[in-house]
Every structure is written in C-alpha cells, then in structure tokens.
Amino acid sequence: MRNWPLLELSITTPRLELRMPSLADLDELGDRAAEGVHEPGYMPFLFPWSDAEPRDRATATIRYHFRTWADFSRDKWTLEFAVVSDGQVVGVQALTASDFLVTREAGSGSWLGKRFQGRGIGREMRAAVLHLAFEGLGAEYATSEAFHDNHASLAVTRRLGYHEDGITLHNRKGEVATSRRFRLPRDDWKPMDGIEIHNLEPCLPLFGF
C-alpha cells in the first residue's frame, strides 16, 4: 500500500520471518491464542487476556491488532509482527515506543503458541526486533520487563545482554507480583548474524524521519 507501507515491513532471520500480519495471518494468530500460550494457573502477562475462553482469546487477539494499526503515530507506536516458522504462524513479537524521536528507546513484548515453545524461537524473534530498533531505527536503548517467575522470557533477556534496571510491583490477579526491568544500551548490543530488514525505507516518514 502506497499510503500505509508498514504492511510491507518485515524482518528475516536464519529460521524466521517476522511480518506485519495479513488477515490470513491474523486468523492463524487467533488459532494460536485459542490453542493456549501458557500452562493453566500461571499468568505471564500484566493484562490477563489469556485467561479468557479459547474463542474469546482468538477474537481479542485480532481486535488488538486492528487497534494497534489504528493508533499508530510517530509519538506512540506499536509494531506487532506475526512470527512465521516453517511456513506457519507461531506467535507475535512486538516493538513499541513513546516519543521515540526524543528518547531513542524502544521496548519489546511477545508470545508464542504453547506447542512452539522450547525451540529457541523466542530468542531469535527478539533478536530480530532488536536489529530493527538499533540498526533500522537508530535506537540508543532497548528495554524489556517480565514477571520474576517468567523464566523463559528472563533467560532470553539475559542471553541477549540486557542489564538489570530495577523492579516494579504489580497487582497480578489480586496478589502482589514483582516484575524485573532490563535495559540494553546500543554499545552492548551484539547483532545476530543473518538478520535482514525489508521495506523499511518507505515506512520511515510514518516514524517521523
């Protein structure tokens, strides 16, 4: 689309493609959400969207993506990439920022369908959006945050070289829960080999460049 080139933005890694989702991709993401993204009784997300019934998880996932498209602006934006492995949509990797032109800071968030976890996909898809942030958009910092018991997310964060940046206390389903904050400066970022960004240049005016 000439007037909304973000739909053509993508990132490839040795194993994955991260792309702005088509309607067909959103349908698959709804299926992944309905199938489940974590064990029953555990909540890795601040907003407990994954506690809903399977059909409600699917429709909420699709509606959320529509909202991020509508709300995108140079002052506050969220990129929600569909993650594709071996031709199948397996989850979502997000990159988000507020006042990026001033702060040069972007955060990340993600989820994977439960049956695709434990394969190293999480690390590779995070490395992809770090490449977009630092190499593509000129970020100075990347941030991440996860609950203290989200061991998979914390392991990815530490392997990618982030530094501890404090804690935040949250009300998680009526009980206090600690999340750990992390920060990765540009100087400590070590890009993964084989990552390429596609069709970014036509999108840059939407980010304010």
Side-chain angles (χ1 to χ4, degrees), residues 7 19-32 58 61-62 65-66 69 82-84 87-91:
L7 293 178
R19 63 193 185 209
M20 299 305 290
S22 65
L23 294 181
D25 291 336
L26 289 180
D27 213 28
E28 279 203 69
L29 283 173
D31 290 341
R32 297 295 87 76
T61 296
I62 295 169
H65 281 264
F66 289 159
W69 292 352
V83 180
V84 182
Q88 188 169 18
V89 174
V90 299

Side-chain angles (χ1 to χ4, degrees), residues 2-198:
R2 294 187 309 277
N3 294 308
W4 199 248
L6 281 175
L7 293 178
E8 302 300 323
L9 179 62
S10 67
I11 315 165
T12 53
T13 76
R15 291 193 300 164
L16 307 174
E17 180 186 12
L18 282 70
R19 63 193 185 209
M20 299 305 290
S22 65
L23 294 181
D25 291 336
L26 289 180
D27 213 28
E28 279 203 69
L29 283 173
D31 290 341
R32 297 295 87 76
E35 292 165 4
V37 298
H38 57 75
E39 295 291 343
Y42 172 65
M43 179 47 62
F45 308 117
L46 182 58
F47 179 75
W49 64 273
S50 52
D51 262 0
E53 292 299 315
R55 178 175 292 181
D56 293 334
R57 291 199 298 266
T59 56
T61 296
I62 295 169
R63 292 176 66 185
Y64 174 74
H65 281 264
F66 289 159
R67 287 196 298 273
T68 64
W69 292 352
D71 292 342
F72 188 101
S73 74
R74 67 182 60 185
D75 296 324
K76 186 175 183 180
W77 48 260
T78 298
L79 298 171
E80 296 274 352
F81 290 99
V83 180
V84 182
S85 175
D86 293 327
Q88 188 169 18
V89 174
V90 299
V92 168
Q93 176 67 60
L95 186 70
T96 184
S98 296
D99 297 315
F100 181 80
L101 295 174
V102 177
T103 67
R104 296 289 176 167
E105 176 181 286
S108 62
S110 65
W111 60 265
L112 273 174
K114 191 171 179 298
R115 60 191 173 97
F116 300 99
Q117 296 171 13
R119 304 182 187 182
I121 294 173
R123 176 173 175 265
E124 196 162 324
M125 67 197 214
R126 177 95 67 88
V129 292
L130 288 178
H131 202 94
L132 174 60
F134 287 120
E135 182 68 20
L137 298 174
E140 292 296 330
Y141 297 98
T143 62
S144 182
E145 187 169 355
F147 282 120
H148 68 283
D149 51 4
N150 190 343
H151 303 297
S153 178
L154 294 174
V156 167
T157 297
R158 291 179 172 125
R159 285 192 66 188
L160 289 171
Y162 290 73
H163 306 297
E164 295 267 3
D165 195 35
I167 64 170
T168 305
L169 299 181
H170 294 284
N171 176 351
R172 183 171 63 171
K173 301 180 69 173
E175 297 183 358
V176 65
T178 302
S179 66
R180 297 192 173 276
R181 302 194 306 268
F182 294 85
R183 178 174 297 273
L184 177 62
R186 168 183 281 276
D187 289 345
D188 293 339
W189 169 57
K190 296 179 175 60
M192 179 184 289
D193 291 338
I195 296 180
E196 296 184 11
I197 304 168
H198 308 275

